[in-house]
Amino acid sequence: MPNSGAGGVILIENGRVYNHAGDVDFPAIADLLIIDGVIAAVRSGIAAAVERGEQVPELGARSIDQGIDATEKLLMPGFVNAHYHSHDVLLKGCFETIPLELWMLNALPPAYPKRSTAEIRARTLLGALECLRSGMTTVQDLATIYPFDEQHLEAILQAYEDIGIRCVFALQFADMAGAKAVPFWDEVVPADQRAALSGSVEPFQGIDLAALLRDILKSQKSRHPRITLALGPTSPERCTPELLSKLAELSSAEQVPVYTHIYESRPMTLIARQTHPSDGGSLVNYLRRVGLLTPRMNLAHSVWMSRPEIETIAEAGTKVVLNPVGNLKTRSGVAPIRTYLRKNVGVALGCDNCSCSDAQNMFQSMKLFAGLAAVTHPDPGPPTAADAIWSATVGGARSAGLEGRIGATRETVVAERSSRDAKVLDEIRAGGINVTQPDLAPFTAIGQQTYKELAERLGPDLVDHIVAAAK
């Protein structure tokens, strides 16, 4: 496999470079020059100038270390899986289309014995490999480690470091029991059986949760350039105001994003209406009250969001991460996709759990995202195929606070290196999609990326040509 580290000079020649602001149907042909892990130039004629021995300003006295011929290939930004859980990678295809609340009782770590460190590492690597092979170069892993074990945390982070994918890692946590998150369980389930009513994570015993999270952020933030950190309260209704207020302070102080589940199913929505009367039955108002409704907050699922709540998150700059495949598998519903777009809410896409979406496949998520809006809005209108690709790339980058570093195949100025015009390498996918194959005629980049599902094109050749950033 070619060297995909940050050092050296790589020239990708003669590919069709996807540009969100350009011709998204038939992107222009250009060369892409990468120097020490950063995109230095995207334009036509670079390879020809090198061949003629002419000076390329960005190269200086350096030479090309690796060339990739992308003729008749499409160069796309790497997908950003903005909502993913590595903890159930080994449960693909194990469940029928059962309601979310029944699925949670069986599929998640509190429902089974503590796993070995070796298994934790293996499942993390397997999940990351599947993401890479389907064109994702960044994952947001909202991982449950239950019971909490520092060795398991280390195993997950080391696995991501070793395999080379970019990870935005958040430990999933709560300080209220899972049984409290489902309407009427307390009333109808006998007290001696409630211990079995677990959720996605249960409260850690004997651990100061706020101190633990603060320690993880401080001890791991400089671990590796491809690993960034976030906070992961499982859902607002399972976290006390005291805990969420501390998270708001921590997110602000460390400038890290926050990911949480909200309004995924009707029962989750009903429990909010029942248990938060002082907030008008709104978890959005609850998050605003505790100081978490900011541009750093990302609300996964957001299926049953009310129109006033959509207006509120739009004003706050809070983003949503939609997971259409998992929402159908768990019979949770269809998010108000078109309304989010029309209200200018930032939208990212995720593939969710392996035990409820069964595949880490952004092509599936994009296709459903573009099509399911017709359930509530059958008239013509957004989302378009270009909206889907934007949400799967730039939208995900924006949710992680990484816009300008990932999500686009273009030069990007990095503010923190103001001493020079440093440009960060955006992970790209190249080498697997041949735009001249008969079944892609007539070729259209956005349509065939979104609707045709080109995952079969992403074989070993493509993985060989994934250039992983180290900035």
Side-chain angles (χ1 to χ4, degrees):
M1 176 178 291
N3 179 14
S4 60
V9 178
I10 301 172
L11 178 61
I12 302 178
E13 305 176 30
N14 206 39
R16 292 196 175 273
V17 182
Y18 188 87
N19 180 353
H20 296 290
D23 185 342
V24 295
D25 288 300
F26 209 58
I29 294 174
D31 301 330
L32 194 147
L33 180 65
I34 302 166
I35 301 176
D36 294 334
V38 302
I39 291 181
V42 181
R43 62 176 181 270
S44 60
I46 299 176
V50 171
E51 183 70 21
R52 292 191 299 265
E54 298 174 1
Q55 183 178 8
V56 176
E58 295 84 359
L59 268 179
R62 301 181 67 172
S63 58
I64 305 298
D65 298 309
Q66 179 186 353
I68 299 174
D69 183 5
T71 301
E72 306 296 355
K73 301 295 195 302
L74 175 66
L75 278 64
M76 291 286 297
F79 294 138
V80 180
N81 187 351
H83 189 66
Y84 166 69
H85 305 273
S86 64
H87 48 247
D88 59 350
V89 165
L90 303 180
L91 288 176
K92 296 177 184 176
C94 290
F95 299 96
E96 292 289 346
T97 55
I98 56 178
L100 178 74
E101 288 66 35
L102 297 181
W103 168 80
M104 283 197 297
L105 288 176
N106 296 279
L108 304 177
Y112 42 82
K114 182 178 179 180
R115 316 317 291 171
S116 69
T117 303
E119 180 179 314
I120 299 295
R121 174 175 169 80
R123 75 189 188 193
T124 305
L125 290 172
L126 285 170
L129 179 59
E130 181 182 9
C131 289
L132 280 171
R133 288 185 63 85
S134 62
M136 302 173 202
T137 50
T138 300
V139 295
Q140 193 288 300
D141 188 0
L142 186 55
T144 294
I145 302 175
Y146 188 83
F148 179 75
D149 186 321
E150 289 187 1
Q151 289 186 341
H152 288 186
L153 173 63
E154 172 62 24
I156 293 171
L157 295 178
Q158 189 61 51
Y160 283 122
E161 185 175 332
D162 291 344
I163 201 167
I165 198 170
R166 184 184 295 274
C167 177
V168 182
F169 178 83
L171 177 70
Q172 187 164 215
F173 58 85
D175 64 347
M176 296 172 62
K180 300 290 185 182
V182 181
F184 313 119
W185 272 7
D186 272 347
E187 292 88 339
V188 301
V189 178
D192 62 344
Q193 297 180 27
R194 289 176 196 160
L197 300 178
S198 59
S200 54
V201 66
E202 292 300 305
F204 300 151
Q205 300 301 314
I207 293 178
D208 182 333
L209 189 52
L212 172 65
L213 297 171
R214 188 177 300 109
D215 178 67
I216 291 173
L217 289 184
K218 291 185 179 297
S219 64
Q220 302 294 337
K221 68 179 179 180
S222 300
R223 179 190 184 99
H224 191 281
R226 281 194 304 268
I227 296 176
T228 57
L229 301 172
L231 295 169
T234 185
S235 55
E237 70 274 16
R238 291 200 50 207
C239 295
T240 60
E242 295 75 19
L243 175 60
L244 292 182
S245 295
K246 291 178 181 177
L247 296 184
E249 295 173 1
L250 190 55
S251 172
S252 177
E254 298 294 332
Q255 288 295 293
V256 294
V258 183
Y259 293 85
T260 192
H261 303 84
I262 195 169
Y263 300 149
E264 184 172 356
S265 67
R266 285 178 291 184
M268 285 181 69
T269 309
L270 177 58
I271 199 71
R273 310 301 187 221
Q274 292 176 337
T275 59
H276 289 77
S278 63
D279 296 302
S282 168
L283 293 180
V284 170
N285 290 342
Y286 179 37
L287 290 172
R288 180 170 56 183
R289 173 162 62 89
V290 298
L292 275 172
L293 201 70
T294 74
R296 293 184 300 278
M297 171 58 76
N298 300 282
L299 304 175
H301 301 291
S302 301
V303 174
W304 297 97
M305 191 83 66
S306 70
R307 286 186 177 271
E309 289 173 321
I310 294 174
E311 298 276 2
T312 300
I313 65 173
E315 292 172 4
T318 294
K319 303 163 191 69
V320 297
V321 185
L322 305 184
N323 301 269
V325 180
N327 291 155
L328 294 183
K329 181 76 182 286
T330 57
R331 303 186 179 186
S332 295
V334 177
I337 298 169
R338 183 175 294 182
T339 304
Y340 286 133
L341 295 177
R342 285 182 167 169
K343 295 298 182 180
N344 293 317
V345 175
V347 177
L349 294 179
C351 297
D352 210 1
N353 297 70
C354 287
S355 63
C356 72
S357 67
D358 302 301
Q360 295 305 312
N361 187 326
M362 189 59 72
F363 296 99
Q364 292 182 2
S365 291
M366 290 193 300
K367 186 172 184 175
L368 288 180
F369 169 76
L372 282 176
V375 172
T376 52
H377 295 85
D379 51 308
T384 64
D387 292 328
I389 291 177
W390 189 96
S391 296
T393 52
V394 178
R398 189 171 290 180
S399 77
L402 294 174
E403 186 178 12
R405 297 182 65 183
I406 62 175
T409 46
R410 61 179 175 82
E411 299 175 352
T412 307
V413 176
V414 182
E416 66 265 24
R417 297 185 62 183
S418 56
S419 61
R420 57 184 287 269
D421 289 336
K423 300 172 178 65
V424 169
L425 169 66
D426 182 35
E427 292 90 341
I428 58 173
R429 302 187 292 121
I433 302 171
N434 189 326
V435 302
T436 64
Q437 293 188 106
D439 62 335
L440 297 184
F443 178 73
T444 166
I446 55 168
Q448 287 158 356
Q449 284 282 286
T450 303
Y451 301 125
K452 183 169 170 50
E453 185 179 333
L454 298 177
E456 74 273 13
R457 320 285 180 191
L458 309 185
D461 289 343
L462 171 62
V463 177
D464 284 352
H465 290 164
I466 287 178
V467 183
K471 294 291 179 182

